[in-house]
Each structure stands twice: as C-alpha cells, then as structure tokens.
Amino acid sequence: MMKKLLLLLTAVCLFLIPVRSFADMAEGDMIVTLGENLTETQKNQLLEEMGAPKDVQIVTVSNQEEHQYLGKYVSKSLIGTKAISSSAITIAPSGSGIKVKTKNINWVTDEMYVNALITAGVKDADIYITAPISVSGTAALTGIIKAYEISADKTIPEEVKQAANQEMVETAKLGDAIGAENAAALIAKIKEEVAKNQPKNDQELRAIIEQAAKELNVTLTEDQIQRLIDLFNKLKSLNIDWNQVSDQLNKAKDRISKFLQSEEGQGFLEKVKQFFIWLIDTIKALFS
C-alpha cells in the first residue's frame, strides 16, 4: 500500500488547449504534468496509463526547474539530469480531500506527498504520480502544485511552494533514518498538533515534536529534532491556513478509516492476517 518514492517538481512550459479556460475546470476534469525528457512514446504511454482525454491540459516540467526548487534541499545527484516523473491531477468533489497513488516512484511515500500538498494549500484532488521506469520522482511535486494553481485558478505564494518542497525532502530524509511510514506519520502528527495548539516558541514546538515521537514510539536525535523545529518555524512564519491544514489532515485520516471498513479494506486486512498465520505456522514447523 505504501511504496517508496520522492518527489518534487516544477512546471513552466504550458501547453494550453484553447477550447476552454483553466478557470472553467470542474469536478472530474484532469490536468497532466509531464517530465520534459520523456520520449514521445513514453509520453503517449503515460497519458494512456493515466486515462487522460485527448484534449487534456498539459504542464511540462523541466530538469532545470527541479534544480531550482529542490537544489537547496537535496543533492544534485538525487535530482539527476532528466525530468521523467509525471502526474495526473483530477478535480475531486468539494470536501473530499487529497488522494495520492504512485507507480515507479522510489523515495517518498504517498503520505509524504499528501502532507506536502496540504502544506501548499492543495485540497480536493485525486493525484496519480507515475514514470515509465523507477525514478526518485523529483519532477512531480512542483508540477502538481503548478497544475493545481492552474486548475483552481489560484496562485500559491512562492515561499509556500518552497516550504512544501522542503517539507517533502526533510520527511524523506527522516524516513531514511526512522522508516518512511514513521516519518510520514510523525510529520502529520506534529502538523496536526501545531494546527491545534499554535505553539508560541521553540520550547512549545519542541514539546509537541517530542510528544509526537513518544506516541509513535520513534526515537529522534537532537539534530533531527532541531531540523523539525526549523522546518515548522518556517511553516509557522508563512501565511498558511492552519484550519484548512487540520481539515485536510482529518479528511486524509477519514479516507484510510473508510478504506479499512470497506469490503476491499477488510479483504486487505484478511490477507495480512492469513500471511502472519502462515508465517507463524512455518516457523513452528521448523522447530517441530
């Protein structure tokens, strides 16, 4: 359910279909971001995989833009020299929250994407991130934010975009140390508590971080704690709607809860249960 992947992005070259304006986009409409270095064959394959209509609106993401937005936070080698990862953003019903699914992305989890997009102010969107081969995914996040700006006819401040990129990278780096799932859960928990309690200083922020780590049974180094303090101080200094952040986090949790209660979710849990039964029986057999 959770796969490793990274991402980030950036978008500039817009290919605009003149049949309708971006502001006219409605529920169910799609906008696509494509990595600039995809071959024409790869582009067509991804568009087919996304189920994109022939007149879909497209944003092209360049490798130069990746370095522009991510160069402060990750090594050049991780960003690479080609923009490959792509995405499809479909306008979801009002109040439904953000849903992310990925394929061939290998550094950051789906939940990390959700966290960063919530920070950027994205809401009510179904997002599919993909690539023709396994890649870090650095051409995807900024592209998604840019595409959302276009689809919602709303400008996201540059400093908020940078903060969302930084959050994504910091979470992924933390995931390398404590596990991707733990890192995503920790950031979401801290964000939820910051939205709820609005800490006034570093001491209060540190207390939130340490309590969240304790509740998740995660051990953080002093350096990791300080990096989280710096990140959330930056988020606090921006004009972020924390009520919306809290609302979107709750919707994300509701999605997971509803999935687990659904027939599909119950089937998934039953498979997990049967796997552990098989594993225990196998171990017992080794000693009998």
Side-chain angles (χ1 to χ4, degrees), residues 194-208:
V194 169
K196 186 187 304 179
N197 298 309
Q198 295 292 304
K200 300 178 181 62
N201 51 49
D202 283 4
Q203 185 177 357
E204 292 183 4
L205 185 51
R206 174 183 286 270
I208 287 175

Side-chain angles (χ1 to χ4, degrees), residues 30-82:
M30 178 188 290
I31 185 169
V32 164
T33 75
L34 292 177
E36 184 178 58
N37 298 109
L38 293 168
T39 66
E40 286 303 312
T41 298
Q42 289 173 329
K43 289 178 183 179
N44 291 331
Q45 288 174 341
L46 290 185
L47 289 171
E48 182 177 356
E49 179 184 320
M50 294 169 178
K54 290 185 178 180
D55 64 344
V56 70
Q57 302 171 24
I58 296 176
V59 171
T60 298
V61 183
S62 72
N63 182 249
Q64 180 182 354
E65 292 168 330
E66 294 182 74
H67 285 278
Q68 174 188 341
Y69 278 85
L70 302 174
K72 296 179 182 178
Y73 315 118
V74 294
S75 66
K76 291 183 178 180
S77 61
L78 183 61
I79 300 174
T81 59
K82 294 182 179 180

